[in-house]
Each structure stands twice: as structure tokens, then as C-alpha cells.
């Protein structure tokens, strides 16, 4: 069991049936992955060097893809221009980790081009280093409603133009009804007509047009003929004034119709025949009983996107055999680019990326009339523009390095990356807009946003902070898509990233009622709660929770007073927490708890509730009243409230591995950061060497630290610390 490597051009036919079965089980028989498409592709455009990689388990064939050997040690997916999306037929992407050993030679990288993430395995499960970049942004139409509803939902500009083109055609060259050809015997003539039309245009002049007598013509005749035999191929033609004006070649499955090729008579451009044909094709799909998703599989222009109801970015995924291979690749590429720049072989660009903008504040984004509605505080305060605006205004108000990098379409942001550009001596650093107030950092991503945009956002930041040597991000969820996207984006920009530990994070998965929660806690905690409650009540103690803006300033003053009276260090930015409390109160997310003994406040805790989650943000108690266990009392009171009244599903103790948190919570996870170095700069390379050296010596340091800890344990017995 494992990988088998075969010569694809000669062996594919014998595996075609198993290939199609795998395609059917994984991707519902995606037409572009069908053996009737891939087989002719190998026959007409394969060189004979392609390798069919088959993976077997005890249950049978579980993986298949086609690769060819490129540069020394490098392998790539078979991807001629006729293949719009590359098949990666794998039930489990982790089997790619063993493919390197199975391939001949000494492979160190595998590049997979034009991977559709909707029809591909989950590459995030791989432990292999990888770089994921955008290939093209494709579009599609989901005919889920009536055609009139779909068309009324298009832009005014599109509907107006199509009406104008139809009216012009009706007056000058009356169109005939849309022609469609589905029979095998028609495919040869359809491809010939298509080729004759395409040859008269710019593709004919460039030598890339389909023609009846060239290899492309033979390929499409064969593919369409094979699919037509099962009723899965259709050629659509539109005639204007008795002349063929436009043609589209399509193949389909039960669920989707794929537009393979499109051409039109360029001498009739004033009628936009391609648009008129597309309108009729879509109209027909909406009218059919078995509606199919229309997939364009093209590098969609802004005009084409107006037709779409959804879009997707196809990805290029480069895998490395190990971390050292990834580092060597990035260093080599960075050095080559540096040398070309020094020699003047690379043009200097004023703006290295298109579609990226930057502003110095959230107010500037509003002034530029960006629609930030989707990024306002909803369920998660830290995943909002409000949070970063508060952080900038109260912590970094005079910092000239704060930047918000964005990608957007028509003033609607897709991704916002909040950063700080800093300089310390000769070291220039780009870091996340975060500090010790931040429990979790991530770029802000719209519902239809693409984290692949992070690469171009990082490129823009490096361009602005010329000569930057270091980037640092954290704290982050190491299992999140954002973490992977930043790692990949850094590698794609030829930086060398490393993970680093930030802190442990204790949290509770709420299951059942407050009583159910208590039953699962240790007996010592239940006993402490009972004793503290009894003593506190006997002395006239009360517990209260502030949730609204009513008398909020008095509550803030009370919170600050108890915080100052506790063991906590004074807040270096005294306006941050009060401003946060006001914001939470307005949003209905505030849970500000107080424990009072008569007129004296002896403990306070700031909790945040949103999205079925409660976060314990700030806690403090008056040390003179520690005998009442005020921290334990208030935590229990707020915990009962969020479980019974707010019906939360999770309680998060946020930052730190303090021992007392373990008593209240059920699970632990970790928050990690990313530090990266620019090997193209001398200082960046020196810092990279220092980082690598430090990590190599870390095991020795940890052994010495563990030894010292054991010695200290024997001579010291610290008492338990109470939360607060």
C-alpha cells in the first residue's frame, strides 16, 4: 500500500475507470477532472514525461494526480492552458507527505497550479511547509431563483447595456433563436465553425486560435464528442443577420455546466454578441428543470463579475519537503531578486501591488467613504474596526507608523490588515497592531473576502517600510486560516517565518446548567464557593452586574478604584479600559461585576459577552478583604449569570496559564505568534541566523531551566494564588 508512479501517457487508460470513480466519490464527477477530459489532454499535449501518481490503501484507490518533473528536484502538476482547474484527487491531503519519498530523484518541492479549493482536499492539515498564492479569480452563477429575479439583481450598468445591444441587433442584424448542438455527430462541425470564427480575431493573429486542422481543434473535437455520447456536451451558437456571431463550448455533469471556450466575430463587436449569447445561455439554464451551476473558470474581469452570483479564487500551492527546503528556496529567490535589483534588471515600481490601499486610521477609511458596516462590532469585539480604532486612539494616538492596509471592491473592503511600522535603531519592523490588551489578533475579513489577499497587503507594507528586516504578529490562533495565510504570505514574499509561543489560554465548554457545571468542578472549589458565600452574606455583602449605559460613569469610577487598590500594576494607558467599557455597554456586551461589603467595593471583574461566548477580560480585588475570597465569589456569580441568563456556549479566560484558571475551566489551548526575517537585507539575514542559532540551542537551555526549577521547588513552597 502507498504510492505507485506510472508513465501517465501510456498508463492513464488502464486507470481511467478507477480515476472516474474517485472523482465521483470526492467531487461528484467534476467534468474537468473526468477521464474523458484528462485522457485527451495527455494524448494531445502531454510530452511523455508526465507521471501518474496513484495512492492505494487497504480499502482501494484513495488518491491520484498527474505531475511532471521540472527544474532539478522540482515537480509540478500537469497543467496545459486547456485545463482550467487542476485535479487533485485525494481523500486525504496528508498522503502528500509520503509522495516526496515515492517520486524518482531527490524531490524537494511540488507545485500544484490552478487548484479549486471547493474541489480539492484540505491542505491545511498538511505539516509540510507551503506557499499558497492566487492563480485567478473565477466566477459562477447559481440558478437558485427565477431568471427575472436573477437579472433584476444585476448591476444597472449591465442590464442597461444588454438592453441596448439587443435593441441595436434587432434594428441592424435581427438575431435568430439561440442554437444548441448536443449530438456527437455535430461536434466536429461545431468545432470547425468555432475555429473559423476565432481564427479571424486576435487569437488568430497571435497563433493561439482553435482551428479544424491544429492540435487544439483535434483535442476539443475529441473531448466534446466523448461527452456528447452521454448528453454532457453542448455547443451554443448565436447568429446575427444570418451570420455566426458568437459560440461557446461547454461540458457538464448533473450539477454544473462548465464554459470551456468562448469566441465571437470581432467585426460585430458593436452588438456585443458574446454578451447576448451569454444572456440567452443563462436564461435557458434557469428554465431547465434540472438547474446547473454555471462555472466560467476564467480570470474574471470586473465586467464579467457583474454576471456572477458567486466567485472563487483558484490557488497555486507550492509544497516543500521540509522546513529547510522552504528556507533555502526563499533565501535563494530573495538573493536573486536583490541582485537583479542592484544590476538594474528589475523596474522600480511606485506601487508594487494593484488593488491595495492604505490609511493611517479608521477615520481616514471613513473619510475615503469605505463601507465599514460589516466590520463593526457584532459578536467579537476584537474582530472589529471599533477595537483597532480604540487601540490606536488610546494606546498609539501619536504613533506615525500605524497603518490599515486593505483590499476592496467599489469601496467595500474585503480584507483589512492593521499594522504598525516601527524603527528601533537600524532595525525596521512591521508588526501587528496589538499589545498586552490583545487576547487574539487576526486580519479583518469580509464574508466574501479572500485571505490570499494577505500576500499583497504584506507586499505593500514592505514597500512602505523600505528596508524592513523583521515582521512580527501575535497573539493568534495557530489553527486558524488567518495564521496559515500570514505564514504563506510571508513565504510568498521571500521572508523566512517562524512560530513562537505567546501564552496558554484556558476556556470552558459549557454543557448543561449552572448546577451541571458545579458538579464537574473539584470538590475543593465547590466547598470554597459555599463557605465564601455564607460568610459574605452574613456580613451583609452584595453582588451586582452592570450591563447597560445607565450610570456607566459611576461604574467605571468604581472599577478603577478597586483596580487601583489591588495588587495590579497601574494601567499605563488609563483611558483604554474605560473607553472599552463604554463601547461594550452601548453594544449590550458588557458584564461588569462588583462585590460590595456594605458601602465598600471589594472586587470587580470585567467580562465581555458576544456570539454565545463570555470572555473574562479584567479582574481585581481589594487585598485587605482577601479573607472573604471576593475573587472566587464574583467569578462564581458572573459564571452563573452567563450560563443561565446569557446562555453562552463558551467561557474564555483569555491570557495566561495562572493556576487558578484551571479550577474554573475545562480545556486549554495555546496562542502563538509569527516572527519573520527578510534574508535579502544584511541585518535581516543576521537576525535570521541568530534566530536559527537560538532555536538550535533551545533544547539545552530548556534542560538547564528544568533542572533549576526542580532545585527551586525543593527549597520553596509557594502558597496558592487567588484569582482577581
Amino acid at each position: 500500500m502507498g504510492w505507485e508512479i506510472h508513465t501517465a501517457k501510456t498508463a492513464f487508460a488502464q486507470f481511467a475507470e478507477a480515476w472516474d470513480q474517485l472523482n465521483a466519490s470526492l467531487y461528484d464527477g467534476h467534468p474537468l477532472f473526468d477521464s474523458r477530459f484528462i485522457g485527451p489532454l495527455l494524448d494531445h499535449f502531454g510530452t511523455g514525461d508526465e507521471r501518474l501518481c496513484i495512492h492505494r490503501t487497504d480499502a482501494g484507490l484513495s488518491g491520484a494526480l498527474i505531475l511532471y518533473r521540472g527544474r532539478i528536484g522540482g515537480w509540478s502538476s500537469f497543467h496545459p492552458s486547456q485545463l482550467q482547474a487542476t485535479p487533485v484527487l485525494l481523500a486525504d491531503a496528508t498522503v502528500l507527505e509520503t509522495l516526496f519519498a515515492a517520486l524518482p530523484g531527490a524531490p524537494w518541492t511540488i507545485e500544484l497550479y490552478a487548484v479549486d479549493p471547493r474541489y480539492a482536499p484540505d491542505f491545511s492539515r498538511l505539516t509540510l511547509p507551503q506557499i499558497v498564492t492566487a492563480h485567478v479569480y473565477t466566477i459562477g452563477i447559481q440558478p437558485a431563483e427565477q431568471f427575472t429575479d436573477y437579472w433584476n439583481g444585476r448591476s444597472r450598468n449591465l442590464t442597461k447595456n444588454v438592453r441596448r445591444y439587443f435593441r441595436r441587433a434587432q434594428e441592424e442584424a435581427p438575431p435568430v433563436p439561440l442554437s444548441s448542438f448536443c449530438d456527437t455527430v455535430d461536434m466536429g462541425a461545431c468545432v470547425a465553425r468555432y475555429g473559423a470564427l476565432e481564427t479571424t480575431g486576435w487569437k488568430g493573429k497571435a497563433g493561439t486560435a482553435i482551428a479544424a486542422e491544429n492540435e487544439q481543434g483535434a483535442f476539443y473535437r475529441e473531448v466534446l464528442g466523448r461527452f456528447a455520447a452521454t448528453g454532457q456536451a453542448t455547443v451554443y451558437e448565436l447568429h446575427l443577420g444570418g451570420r455566426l456571431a458568437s459560440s461557446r463550448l461547454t461540458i457538464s455533469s448533473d450539477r454544473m455546466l462548465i464554459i470551456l471556450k468562448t469566441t465571437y466575430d470581432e467585426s460585430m463587436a458593436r452588438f456585443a454578441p458574446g454578451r447576448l449569447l451569454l444572456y440567452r445561455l443563462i436564461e435557458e439554464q434557469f428554465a431547465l428543470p434540472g438547474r446547473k451551476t454555471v462555472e466560467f473558470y476564467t480570470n474574471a474581469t470586473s465586467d464579467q463579475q457583474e454576471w456572477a452570483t458567486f466567485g472563487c479564487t483558484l490557488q497555486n500551492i507550492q509544497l516543500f519537503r521540509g522546513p529547510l527546503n522552504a528556507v533555502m528556496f526563499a533565501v535563494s529567490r530573495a538573493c536573486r531578486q536583490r541582485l537583479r535589483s542592484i544590476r538594474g534588471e528589475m523596474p522600480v515600481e511606485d506601487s508594487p501591488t494593484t488593488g491595495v490601499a492604505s490609511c493611517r486610521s479608521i477615520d481616514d477609511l471613513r473619510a475615503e467613504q469605505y463601507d465599514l458596516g460589516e466590520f463593526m462590532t457584532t459578536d467579537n469585539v476584537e474582530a472589529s474596526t471599533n477595537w483597532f480604532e480604540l487601540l490606536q486612539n488610546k494606546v498609539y494616538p501619536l504613533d506615525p507608523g500605524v497603518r490599515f492596509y486593505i483590499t476592496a471592491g467599489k469601496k467595500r473592503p474585503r480584507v483589512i490588515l492593521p499594522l504598525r511600522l516601527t524603527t528601533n535603531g537600524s532595525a525596521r519592523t512591521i508588526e501587528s497592531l496589538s499589545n498586552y490588551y490583545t487576547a487574539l489578533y487576526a486580519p479583518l475579513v469580509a464574508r466574501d473576502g479572500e485571505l490570499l489577499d494577505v500576500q499583497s497587503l504584506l507586499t505593500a507594507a514592505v514597500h512602505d517600510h523600505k528596508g524592513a528586516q523583521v515582521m512580527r504578529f501575535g497573539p493568534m490562533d495557530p489553527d486558524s486560516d488567518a495564521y496559515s495565510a500570514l505564514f504563506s504570505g510571508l513565504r510568498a514574499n521571500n521572508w523566512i517565518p517562524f512560530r513562537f509561543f505567546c501564552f496558554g489560554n484556558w476556556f470552558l465548554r459549557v454543557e448543561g446548567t449552572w448546577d451541571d457545571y458545579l458538579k464537574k468542578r473539584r470538590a475543593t472549589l465547590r466547598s470554597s464557593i459555599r463557605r465564601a458565600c455564607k460568610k459574605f452574606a452574613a456580613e451583609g455583602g452584595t453582588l451586582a452586574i452592570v450591563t447597560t449605559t445607565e450610570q456607566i460613569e459611576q461604574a467605571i469610577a468604581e472599577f478603577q478604584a478597586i483596580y487601583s487598590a489591588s495588587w495590579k500594576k497601574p494601567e499605563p494607558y488609563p483611558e483604554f479600559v474605560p473607553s472599552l467599557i463604554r463601547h461594550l455597554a452601548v453594544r449590550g456586551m458588557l458584564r461588569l461585576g462588583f462585590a460590595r461589603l456594605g458601602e465598600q467595593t471589594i472586587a470587580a471583574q470585567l467580562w465581555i459577552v458576544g456570539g454565545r461566548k463570555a470572555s473574562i477580560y479584567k479582574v481585581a480585588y481589594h487585598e485587605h478583604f482577601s479573607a472573604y475570597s471576593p475573587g472566587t465569589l464574583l467569578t462564581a456569580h458572573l459564571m452563573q449569570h452567563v450560563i443561565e441568563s446569557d446562555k453562552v456556549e463558551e467561557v474564555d479566560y483569555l491570557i495566561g496559564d495562572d493556576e487558578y484558571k484551571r479550577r474554573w475551566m475545562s480545556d486549554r489551548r495555546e496562542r502563538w505568534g509569527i516572527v519573520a526575517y527578510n534574508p535579502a537585507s544584511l541585518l535581516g539575514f543576521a537576525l535570521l541566523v541568530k534566530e536559527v542559532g537560538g532555536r538550535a540551542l533551545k533544547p539545552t537551555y530548556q534542560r538547564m531551566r528544568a533542572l533549576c526549577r526542580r532545585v527551586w521547588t525543593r527549597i520553596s513552597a509557594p502558597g496558592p494564588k487567588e484569582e482577581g
Side-chain angles (χ1 to χ4, degrees), residues 357-362 364-365 368 370 402-406:
S358 69
C359 290
R360 294 180 179 272
S361 68
I362 298 298
D364 286 349
L365 287 173
E368 292 289 334
Y370 283 100
V402 174
R403 296 286 192 284
F404 295 88
Y405 291 91
I406 69 168

Side-chain angles (χ1 to χ4, degrees), residues 79 83-84 113-115 133-137 299 313-316 452:
H79 183 65
L83 183 59
Q84 296 152 288
Y113 298 110
V115 175
T133 56
H135 180 70
V136 297
Y137 182 77
N299 188 12
T313 299
L314 304 189
Q315 302 172 351
N316 297 327
L452 288 175

Side-chain angles (χ1 to χ4, degrees), residues 87 173 175 209 276 330 435 502:
L276 300 185
N435 74 341
C502 292

Side-chain angles (χ1 to χ4, degrees), residues 36-91:
R36 292 171 293 175
F37 191 88
I38 301 299
L41 204 64
L42 283 166
D43 293 338
H44 291 279
F45 304 107
T47 64
D49 295 329
E50 297 81 15
R51 295 293 179 263
L52 175 62
C53 306
I54 297 294
H55 188 270
R56 296 184 188 276
T57 65
D58 292 336
L61 192 144
S62 65
L65 69 162
I66 300 172
L67 304 176
Y68 72 92
R69 197 198 309 246
R71 59 181 178 269
I72 298 174
W75 288 76
S76 302
S77 56
F78 175 55
H79 183 65
S81 60
Q82 294 76 18
L83 183 59
Q84 296 152 288
T86 297
V88 184
L89 307 183
L90 298 174

Side-chain angles (χ1 to χ4, degrees), residues 6 18 120 150 152 156 162 210 230 240 276 336 339 371 376 383 395 426 436 499 521 569 681 692:
H6 303 273
Y150 158 77
N152 289 335
R156 182 178 178 183
V162 170
I210 291 176
T230 55
L240 297 177
L276 300 185
R336 288 198 304 271
L339 286 173
D371 179 7
M376 304 290 281
V395 178
S426 58
Y436 45 78
R499 292 160 49 100
R521 306 279 68 78
K569 294 180 180 179
S681 71
V692 172

